Amino acid sequence: MQFFVGEFDGKRFAADSAMQWPRYVDYGKDFYAGIVFNNIADQARVVMIGWVNNWAYANNIPATDYRGAMSLPRELSLIKEGSDYVLVQKPIREAEKLKQQSIEGLKDAVGSRMELQLELPATENSGIYVFANENEKTAIGFDAATQELYIDRTQSGAVDFHPDFSSVERVKVAPIDGKISLQIFLDHPIIEVFAQGGRAVVTDYAFAKGSELKVEPFGIGVKGKAWHLGLAK
């Protein structure tokens, strides 16, 4: 999904610039058909939800009871940074109600549904493995040389069901005060990563085969918190 910045008068949309470079709502492979809600109680909020899947392999994913799921709802806003506008997406505020139990230390985090809040140094190659076990892992990290956030699912488990699935997704992310902040929602097999307060978002599937799904920090200087997630109370 791409987006353009401009003015809409109810009938016609006029882009601020006819030469806008491609801007993506989500830099993962598995966020599609985003829909914005109308007539919500708080009219100041713009809330979007998307389909987590990809038509290239939607009929081939190794799932038995479904063919795709919905993302977390996201609150959208535009902020101006310099001479440009940036789309900011944040998990809907009600997602706070999903937190069930805090986890003492990232290395002790095990489970299929978690929220992680990480802080990474922008000068180091570091990150976290999720849905990890002895033979498989999905890496969410920051490449200091290229200044890119990435999700690497090439060793995530079931990757051979379609030639387009095994992949590494990347997006440029500018450090803020020398740091990269990540808010990550895990609901196996879905991964949603919100970077730098929602300035960049990456959504991907990762189909781990193992039953014990661990979280393992890698690199230098990874700081963070974790919570198990459940049904909202």
Side-chain angles (χ1 to χ4, degrees), residues 11-210:
K11 293 183 179 179
R12 296 185 59 191
F13 174 81
D16 286 351
S17 170
M19 298 298 292
Q20 290 187 31
W21 62 91
R23 309 176 192 220
Y24 294 96
V25 173
D26 193 297
Y27 287 84
K29 278 194 169 182
D30 298 312
F31 186 87
Y32 179 73
I35 300 171
V36 177
F37 288 91
N38 287 328
N39 302 317
I40 59 177
D42 184 353
Q43 293 295 314
R45 301 169 75 184
V46 179
V47 178
M48 180 178 68
I49 193 169
W51 184 50
V52 181
N53 214 334
N54 187 313
W55 276 119
Y57 44 74
N59 291 323
N60 305 98
I61 62 173
T64 57
D65 298 322
Y66 64 95
R67 282 292 177 263
M70 306 310 291
S71 71
L72 275 175
R74 305 172 180 184
E75 296 190 29
L76 309 183
S77 61
L78 275 179
I79 61 172
K80 193 166 188 178
E81 293 188 340
S83 60
D84 197 14
Y85 285 92
V86 177
L87 175 66
V88 174
Q89 305 171 74
K90 296 184 178 182
I92 193 169
R93 65 194 69 165
E94 287 83 356
E96 279 289 316
K97 298 178 182 179
L98 300 175
K99 290 180 179 176
Q100 302 293 304
Q101 179 184 357
S102 62
I103 302 169
E104 295 295 332
L106 292 174
K107 292 183 179 180
D108 297 323
V110 178
S112 60
R113 291 186 297 273
M114 288 185 279
E115 179 185 343
L116 312 175
Q117 294 181 9
L118 304 184
E119 184 179 280
L120 311 178
T123 56
E124 301 288 343
N125 296 326
S126 60
I128 197 160
Y129 296 122
V130 300
F131 301 155
N133 55 56
E134 184 177 353
N135 299 312
E136 55 195 26
K137 59 190 177 184
T138 299
I140 303 170
F142 183 72
D143 187 326
T146 63
Q147 298 287 282
E148 290 176 318
L149 167 71
Y150 66 87
I151 294 183
D152 182 346
R153 62 181 184 182
T154 57
Q155 302 177 64
S156 61
V159 299
D160 58 356
F161 58 88
H162 193 279
D164 288 345
F165 186 80
S166 181
S167 61
V168 181
E169 279 63 73
R170 292 178 172 268
V171 57
K172 289 280 187 182
V173 174
I176 298 176
D177 297 328
K179 299 173 184 177
I180 303 298
S181 64
L182 304 178
Q183 185 177 14
I184 303 169
F185 287 84
L186 306 175
D187 185 4
H188 185 260
I190 298 171
I191 301 170
E192 295 182 73
V193 182
F194 299 82
Q196 302 298 63
R199 288 170 173 81
V201 184
V202 187
T203 301
D204 264 355
Y205 269 136
F207 295 97
K209 298 177 183 179

